[in-house]
């Protein structure tokens, strides 16, 4: 098969479009002929590598993908309730739970003790084919676009688990989303509006803020024009503070904590500006704040959120599509925050 792989960690130049053996499905797995893959910032982090990351090189990036089933090794036991056949159109859930540990058995497979993420520690979707466990598949309606499906899978489940399960966001609450352009942030705006919450978005580019407004954001704050944007958020809530903050930047935690009302929650699923930063702990205890971390979602939540996607209640935002061969350019666009919404790869 054709794939984009890397043999050593490094810059975008290590990505190589070349031939690679087509994977073979193991028992309980399906082989998918991919038509679309979607990018995540994690792809670039994996390509660059970090101390302690152990990969079997060459590695293939990509957590998100959609395509059709071309082979199944052995079907799942019937009680799994997931009937898929060769020829079905599917999207992949990248959250690979072992299915056997105490967390998986309790339906919390994103807490799996032996957790893997497709494209991170196992080879992913920047390829013509990928083999994944059948339980990771969601069957798509006949005419649902592969790119929209691939663009939806990781970010909607991540935003849903964070906002709905962890944050328990309610319809009369106000949520602040820090950052206007990324995939999880745009998914968070849409999910918060679907729930009926008021949404404030702080961003640094007028164009991206206008796009955030076009998908439902109620109040926009341009941080390039502010000395302290947390004050503007506070004023926008009539000095009450917001109920929930979504902060996947990290370096902005202190400003985010300042915008919260007493008893408010900060939700985080990542740190796009780097993993280490300072927090003034007085804000946490004196304001009774909660910081809630999470990653990905449960299988049940993934299916629930994909049901909303295929029925049009949540509409994936696609920024730009590149041919698979141009994955390096696609990653550069993502890494430089030039995108609004998801970047996808077209796999012919
Ligand atoms: Zn497990």
């Amino acid at each position: 098969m054709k794939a984009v792989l890397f043999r050593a960690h490094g810059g975008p130049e290590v990505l190589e479009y070349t031939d690679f053996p087509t994977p073979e499905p193991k028992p309980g797995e399906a082989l998918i002929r991919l038509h679309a893959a979607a990018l995540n910032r994690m792809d670039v982090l994996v390509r660059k590598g970090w101390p302690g990351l152990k990969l079997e090189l060459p590695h293939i990036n990509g957590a998100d993908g959609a395509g059709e089933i071309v082979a199944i090794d052995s079907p799942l036991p019937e009680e799994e309730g997931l009937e898929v056949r060769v020829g079905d159109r599917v999207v992949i859930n990248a959250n690979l739970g072992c299915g056997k540990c105490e967390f998986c058995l309790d339906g919390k497979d994103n807490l799996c003790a032996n957790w893997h993420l497709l494209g991170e520690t196992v080879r992913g979707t920047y390829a013509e084919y990928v083999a994944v466990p059948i339980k990771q598949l969601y069957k798509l309606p006949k005419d649902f676009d592969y790119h929209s499906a691939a663009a939806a899978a990781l970010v909607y489940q991540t935003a849903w688990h964070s906002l709905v399960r962890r944050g328990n966001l309610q319809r009369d609450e106000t949520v602040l989303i820090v950052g206007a352009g990324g995939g999880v942030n745009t998914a968070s705006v849409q999910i918060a509006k679907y729930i009926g919450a008021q949404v404030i978005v702080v961003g640094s580019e007028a164009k991206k803020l206008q796009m955030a407004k076009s998908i439902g954001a109620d109040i926009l704050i341009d941080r390039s024009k502010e000395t302290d944007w947390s004050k503007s958020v506070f004023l926008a809530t009539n000095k009450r503070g917001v109920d929930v903050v979504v902060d996947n930047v990290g370096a902005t935690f202190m400003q985010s904590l300042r915008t919260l009302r007493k008893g408010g929650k900060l939700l985080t699923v990542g740190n796009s500006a780097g993993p280490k930063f300072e927090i003034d702990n007085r804000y946490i205890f004196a304001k009774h704040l909660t910081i809630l971390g999470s990653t990905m979602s449960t299988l049940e939540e993934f299916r629930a959120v994909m049901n909303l996607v295929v029925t049009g209640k949540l509409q994936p935002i696609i920024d730009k599509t590149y041919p698979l061969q141009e994955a390096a350019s696609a990653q550069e666009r993502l890494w430089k925050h030039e995108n609004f919404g998801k970047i996808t790869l077209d796999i012919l």
Side-chain angles (χ1 to χ4, degrees):
M1 67 172 181
K2 291 290 182 194
V4 169
L5 53 76
F6 58 86
R7 298 172 200 278
H9 294 291
E13 70 284 352
V14 300
L15 294 177
E16 206 181 306
Y17 177 73
T18 185
D19 291 308
F20 192 75
T22 303
E24 282 182 25
K26 297 187 197 84
E29 285 189 347
L31 182 67
I32 316 297
R33 170 63 171 94
L34 292 160
H35 290 270
L39 274 70
N40 294 285
R41 292 185 73 77
M42 185 267 294
D43 303 353
V44 181
L45 296 171
V46 170
R47 190 200 71 211
K48 288 169 178 258
W50 60 81
L53 175 65
K54 286 194 184 81
L55 298 181
E56 194 190 330
L57 295 169
H59 184 72
I60 299 173
N61 274 148
D64 277 321
E68 64 181 296
I69 300 177
V70 290
I72 289 176
D73 181 280
S74 47
L76 283 183
E78 269 179 28
E79 65 268 24
E80 296 275 346
L82 229 191
E83 276 186 45
V84 287
R85 292 186 176 83
V86 169
D88 280 350
R89 308 170 81 254
V90 292
V91 63
I92 300 166
N93 173 7
N95 181 81
L96 304 172
C98 72
K100 293 171 196 154
C101 73
E102 59 171 309
F103 301 104
C104 286
L105 292 174
D106 196 24
K108 297 171 182 163
D109 48 288
N110 56 339
L111 269 67
C112 177
N114 188 25
W115 185 77
H116 289 276
L117 186 61
L118 188 67
E120 186 179 68
T121 44
V122 288
R123 293 189 184 110
T125 57
Y126 289 19
E128 286 178 323
Y129 294 90
V130 70
V132 293
I134 294 167
K135 69 179 171 67
Q136 303 302 126
L137 301 175
Y138 178 91
K139 198 169 154 180
L140 295 169
K142 232 187 302 178
D143 48 3
F144 196 82
D145 173 50
Y146 284 128
H147 285 265
S148 297
L154 186 144
V155 291
Y156 280 115
Q157 68 166 299
T158 301
W160 186 272
H161 186 76
S162 177
L163 274 174
V164 179
R165 175 70 71 95
R166 301 285 281 148
N168 192 25
L169 183 68
Q170 300 294 310
R171 59 172 301 139
D172 54 355
E173 290 189 320
T174 299
V175 57
L176 166 70
I177 294 165
V178 182
V184 176
N185 287 337
T186 53
S188 295
V189 171
Q190 293 176 309
I191 289 169
K193 289 315 294 179
Y194 174 75
I195 289 166
Q198 186 187 44
V199 176
I200 305 175
V201 172
V202 56
S204 57
E205 283 175 50
K207 195 176 143 207
K208 285 188 188 175
L209 284 167
Q210 281 311 314
M211 287 165 128
K213 190 176 181 185
S214 74
I215 59 166
D218 300 291
I219 298 171
L220 309 172
I221 291 171
D222 187 342
R223 69 177 164 87
S224 67
K225 294 179 181 154
E226 310 269 341
T227 46
D228 181 4
W229 56 260
S230 63
K231 209 174 267 177
S232 308
V233 174
F234 198 60
L235 293 174
T237 60
N238 296 321
K239 300 185 180 175
R240 176 184 175 272
V242 300
D243 300 286
V244 174
V245 182
V246 172
D247 188 326
N248 303 315
V249 180
T252 48
F253 262 36
M254 273 319 299
Q255 283 126 305
S256 289
L257 293 172
R258 279 191 208 106
T259 68
L260 283 167
R261 67 160 167 85
K262 279 190 177 175
K265 300 167 209 167
L266 184 151
L267 307 176
T268 185
V269 300
N271 36 251
S272 61
K276 291 185 182 175
F277 41 85
E278 282 193 355
I279 292 177
D280 183 340
N281 188 46
R282 290 171 296 182
Y283 281 84
I284 313 282
F285 69 80
K287 285 175 73 179
H288 304 251
L289 302 182
T290 306
I291 298 177
L292 292 159
S294 67
T295 194
M296 304 300 284
S297 76
T298 67
L299 271 180
E300 193 188 344
E301 289 169 309
F302 171 71
R303 288 172 193 151
V305 83
M306 285 310 301
N307 286 343
L308 296 175
V309 171
V310 298
T311 51
K313 294 185 178 79
L314 295 172
Q315 297 185 331
I317 310 295
I318 295 178
D319 169 72
K320 197 172 172 181
T321 296
Y322 291 81
L324 177 63
Q325 296 91 310
E326 293 173 27
S329 306
Q331 287 194 349
E332 281 296 278
R333 178 172 177 81
L334 180 68
W335 194 245
K336 291 174 181 163
H337 295 283
E338 288 168 1
N339 61 309
F340 181 87
K342 298 296 287 181
I343 297 171
T344 65
L345 299 174
D346 201 21
I347 306 167
L348 293 175

